[in-house]
Amino acid sequence: MTKFEDYLEGIVNIYHQYSVRVGHADTLSKGELGQLITREMANILKQSKDQSSIDKIFQDLDADRDAQVNFEEFVNLVFTVLLTTHDNLHKPC
């Protein structure tokens, strides 16, 4: 497996690590998303550790308004974080 493929698999595995509720094993609740953000994205989303920020992120991601974030909706967060990271890497020191 290539390094890129490893990274992609890692994102999927982290998503599944937090989507553990019985009966909803492939979606994230607001609490699960909050845990994922605070544990896995702490350095990237520093300002998003408080509950109101997590509530806003959850609301923005939950496109179908079913009170859960599925993998496709979660990928939007990954996409946004990836773009921000890319932009930050190109900023002058």
Side-chain angles (χ1 to χ4, degrees), residues 37-91:
I37 288 171
T38 57
R39 292 179 185 165
E40 305 295 339
M41 299 180 176
N43 296 317
I44 297 169
L45 297 175
K46 293 175 186 167
Q47 71 281 5
S48 299
K49 292 180 184 178
D50 63 272
Q51 190 57 50
S52 64
S53 296
I54 291 184
D55 290 347
K56 175 76 170 113
I57 292 169
F58 186 86
Q59 182 180 22
D60 291 346
L61 292 177
D62 186 16
D64 60 6
R65 303 293 179 238
D66 65 352
Q68 301 175 63
V69 171
N70 63 35
F71 187 74
E72 187 175 334
E73 292 166 331
F74 172 72
V75 168
N76 290 316
L77 176 62
V78 174
F79 174 74
T80 301
V81 169
L82 188 58
L83 285 177
T84 301
T85 302
H86 177 263
D87 290 346
N88 288 340
L89 289 173
H90 288 288
K91 285 183 181 177

Side-chain angles (χ1 to χ4, degrees), residues 20-25:
V20 295
R21 287 171 294 125
V22 174
H24 297 281

Side-chain angles (χ1 to χ4, degrees), residues 27-44:
T27 62
L28 296 169
S29 67
K30 188 184 297 184
E32 290 166 337
L33 179 67
Q35 288 178 349
L36 189 154
I37 288 171
T38 57
R39 292 179 185 165
E40 305 295 339
M41 299 180 176
N43 296 317
I44 297 169

